[in-house]
Amino acid sequence: MGKSRARRFKAAAFSPTAAVMKTPIEDEENEEEESLQAEELLQKLQSPCPEVREFACANISKLVQQKQVIPSFLKRDAVRCLGPLLLDKCLSVRETAAGALRNLSACGGFEVCDDMVSKDIMTPLVAVLRECATGLDADLKSGMNTDCPKNYVDEIANEAINVLWNVCESSSKALSVFNKENCVDIVIQCLSRFSSNMELSISAAHCLHTVTEDNPDLLASLDTSLLQTLEAVMLASSSSAEMGLLRILVAGSVWNLKERIPSSAQADSINAILRILSEVLSVDAGHFIGQMKEAESKHLTAAVLQSDTEEAAAILGEATLNEDEEMLDRPVKEDKRADISDLLPAANEELKQASALLLSQKTALEMIVNMCCSEDVSDDEWEALSSSDESELENSVGDSNDQLLSPLCLSAEVQSALLNHDIPKKVFQKTYFPSSAAVQICRQTPAWKPLIPKMFTVQQRALTCLHNILSMLNTESLGGAPVLQQLAQHLSEMVFKLPGDIPKQDDFLEAASSAVRALLQTMASKEIPQCMTPEQVMVLSDVCVKSTNTSARVNAVSIIGIMGSVLAKGENTADTLKSIGNFLLGVAANDSSLVVSGGALDALFDVFADGEEAVKAAMEIRLLQNLKKIQPAFRTKISFVEEIAMNMDEPIT
């Protein structure tokens, strides 16, 4: 059976809260109202009064967080109206205009970002960032009274950096302008201000992490001083969870830039990166959340004792502020690797630190996923490798302890660093997260409830990470047969007790089934006794094939195929093999996806390829006759896919 490919992490695109269903009449009325509102606000942007312009920008910033409103603004060329205000004489207008563009780019998604770039948002954006850089350099508060407590330069820079991050993430043209204008110097300048403005530094670090990925033009233009600045941040002490997040993002950027690191320093740099990832993953997030919630309670109690009843009520009300209401007060940022609440302002410092830790651990796990995923093997080479016999595959990589099980081999430096810092063990531990205690703590306070899906996201990333680690490292490196059997027992218990708090069951099923598939594959190749029973595997696969997630369904048929291949070598397994054969035949015949149907056929061929029990079961379920029956339907699916590919003028892969 073909091996599962180590996968590179790809998170779901940003999706704002779904709108409430309305009747066609209500839709028409709302659309007309939104259109008039957009036109009125855009007209106010031209007002000679700065207060009116600021008011209009602030209201646009709030409205565009409702995705259905965005077309009304785009039809009226909102980008060309807001763009010049980035260079407005009034600094507060600049800030609110940048905030409106930040929300527009975040909530509008890739298409809106692409449209913003085509409307030349990069020209005023780069210009205002250069002005901010001058202000940051001189540590000035240009255009402000010296006694004004607000540093508009920092605030404008933060909003503008977020716009830059969004558009560069979505548009290759924006990334090209970023490279040409050498915007990386400005981003590094903002990043280096972590001692005085952590929010700005983290925004810049997110931006740098994005623009350094798969950007050879930027790579060629970088000098060693940039790497030295990043190294200084990596060496800084993690005095808070936010500082830990900053170091993780910078470590991710250095990983993206590793080709610029001299070969003599490669091993040290990779070791430093993995050390930071290890430190972040070592933190017990459930315990940390409990500590932060306790600290918040103490602060609130102290505030109550020091204030009268009315003030105390206001403090307590703020602490439990609904997260949706907060969204209307501050600009937000889309993160393609998370929901937007990762970067929303927290209600208090403790909540902010808890959110930062979860985002740090999620990012660390995503980095490990990508480290354990080679992109050097072409699709054709992969297909050739995946169709080879397991024994041939093992012989091709040798028997040395330094060799890997997968054809997609890690470099010696990465493998050594992963093992030296106990990364596999720490990834295993994260699959046990979140604890019920941490979920219960967050469930009790409205402001903390958004942490619950974030905790489950960390678990899902750990499961995806586990899949790649199992695909890349040999059994001995992972702790041997006892560790794998313990892990199999844990996964089997987990997938049969899906908590109701999981926000996206299909995504969880994909991650969990990927981990189970890789684990069973590894154990089968090493002839390690399976801990999951055929009945458990059948139940899991049945749940997965009913999922809307194609990858989960592919995993399901692969898991069944692995289990069936093992059983075919045993005795008195014909009855179970019959159930497996009927299951796979049903999927091959009925699944709408050609990929899933093909996977089911592949699994059938592997299960019934050899063995007396397999032959006996195949005859009883009339395997050959049933395969002939589904042949026409399968050919129809192939023809349909070929037709689509021809219409798209793309090759079939």
Side-chain angles (χ1 to χ4, degrees), residues 483-516:
V483 170
L484 296 185
Q485 288 178 322
Q486 180 184 1
L487 186 59
Q489 186 64 35
H490 159 58
L491 291 179
S492 65
E493 292 174 359
M494 182 180 63
V495 296
F496 295 119
K497 297 178 182 177
L498 297 180
D501 295 287
I502 294 179
K504 296 180 180 178
Q505 295 272 350
D506 282 346
D507 290 349
F508 176 82
L509 280 174
E510 178 186 359
S513 58
S514 293
V516 170

Side-chain angles (χ1 to χ4, degrees), residues 332-629:
V332 296
K333 162 70 180 76
E334 173 194 0
D335 179 12
K336 72 177 181 180
R337 304 173 180 85
D339 60 279
I340 63 170
S341 61
D342 278 329
L343 297 171
L344 287 173
N348 54 52
E349 184 63 27
E350 292 80 15
L351 181 55
K352 185 187 298 184
Q353 295 298 324
S355 297
L357 176 63
L358 293 176
L359 182 54
S360 298
Q361 294 192 340
K362 180 183 74 70
T363 305
L365 290 165
E366 291 169 0
M367 286 176 59
I368 297 168
V369 167
N370 293 344
M371 286 179 182
C372 295
C373 178
S374 170
E375 295 183 328
D376 298 330
V377 179
S378 70
D379 288 338
D380 290 340
E381 291 171 324
W382 171 259
E383 291 301 329
L385 286 165
S386 65
S387 61
S388 64
D389 183 79
E390 294 285 352
S391 60
E392 292 176 5
L393 181 61
E394 290 176 35
N395 292 333
S396 70
V397 298
D399 296 324
S400 168
N401 287 337
D402 293 330
Q403 292 288 345
L404 303 173
L405 184 62
S406 170
L408 306 179
C409 294
L410 296 171
S411 69
E413 294 87 355
V414 173
Q415 179 180 339
S416 177
L418 283 169
L419 298 178
N420 288 342
H421 292 287
D422 285 333
I423 295 298
K425 180 180 179 181
K426 289 170 183 177
V427 171
F428 294 171
Q429 290 171 343
K430 290 303 170 190
T431 64
Y432 287 84
F433 180 76
S435 66
S436 57
V439 173
Q440 185 60 29
I441 287 171
C442 295
R443 191 183 287 126
Q444 292 171 353
T445 307
W448 288 68
K449 280 185 178 180
L451 294 188
I452 296 175
K454 294 178 185 180
M455 287 190 280
F456 281 108
T457 297
V458 170
Q459 183 192 42
Q460 289 177 27
R461 298 298 184 269
L463 289 167
T464 302
C465 194
L466 176 61
H467 168 273
N468 281 17
I469 286 177
L470 288 167
S471 301
M472 301 298 283
L473 294 175
N474 61 24
T475 305
E476 290 71 26
S477 297
L478 298 171
V483 170
L484 296 185
Q485 288 178 322
Q486 180 184 1
L487 186 59
Q489 186 64 35
H490 159 58
L491 291 179
S492 65
E493 292 174 359
M494 182 180 63
V495 296
F496 295 119
K497 297 178 182 177
L498 297 180
D501 295 287
I502 294 179
K504 296 180 180 178
Q505 295 272 350
D506 282 346
D507 290 349
F508 176 82
L509 280 174
E510 178 186 359
S513 58
S514 293
V516 170
R517 173 183 178 178
L519 180 59
L520 294 184
Q521 207 164 53
T522 300
M523 295 175 74
S525 68
K526 294 296 182 180
E527 297 185 350
I528 298 172
Q530 302 282 356
C531 292
M532 295 183 72
T533 66
E535 291 74 23
Q536 287 178 316
V537 170
M538 290 293 290
V539 171
L540 169 62
S541 298
D542 189 53
V543 172
C544 288
V545 296
K546 294 175 181 176
S547 167
T548 58
N549 188 300
T550 302
S551 295
R553 303 203 305 277
V554 170
N555 289 333
V557 296
S558 295
I559 290 168
I560 284 285
I562 295 166
M563 178 63 75
S565 298
V566 172
L567 291 173
K569 299 173 184 176
E571 298 179 354
N572 301 319
T573 57
D575 288 341
T576 305
L577 291 174
K578 284 163 55 179
S579 298
I580 288 175
N582 286 326
F583 177 89
L584 292 172
L585 282 169
V587 175
N590 300 318
D591 198 286
S592 59
S593 169
L594 179 62
V595 176
V596 180
S597 296
L601 289 175
D602 186 39
L604 277 167
F605 299 148
D606 287 319
V607 172
F608 295 98
D610 194 19
E612 292 182 7
E613 294 294 310
V615 172
K616 179 181 177 182
M619 293 180 65
E620 292 191 20
I621 64 172
R622 299 171 57 84
L623 179 62
L624 183 59
Q625 292 87 335
N626 281 309
L627 285 173
K628 288 181 177 179
K629 285 181 181 179

Side-chain angles (χ1 to χ4, degrees), residues 305-352:
L305 293 174
Q306 294 174 12
S307 61
D308 58 34
T309 305
E310 184 174 333
E311 291 173 331
I315 293 170
L316 290 170
E318 181 182 356
T320 58
L321 184 65
N322 185 282
E323 209 69 6
D324 290 336
E325 294 175 350
E326 281 192 9
M327 287 179 63
L328 300 179
D329 296 329
R330 290 285 300 277
V332 296
K333 162 70 180 76
E334 173 194 0
D335 179 12
K336 72 177 181 180
R337 304 173 180 85
D339 60 279
I340 63 170
S341 61
D342 278 329
L343 297 171
L344 287 173
N348 54 52
E349 184 63 27
E350 292 80 15
L351 181 55
K352 185 187 298 184

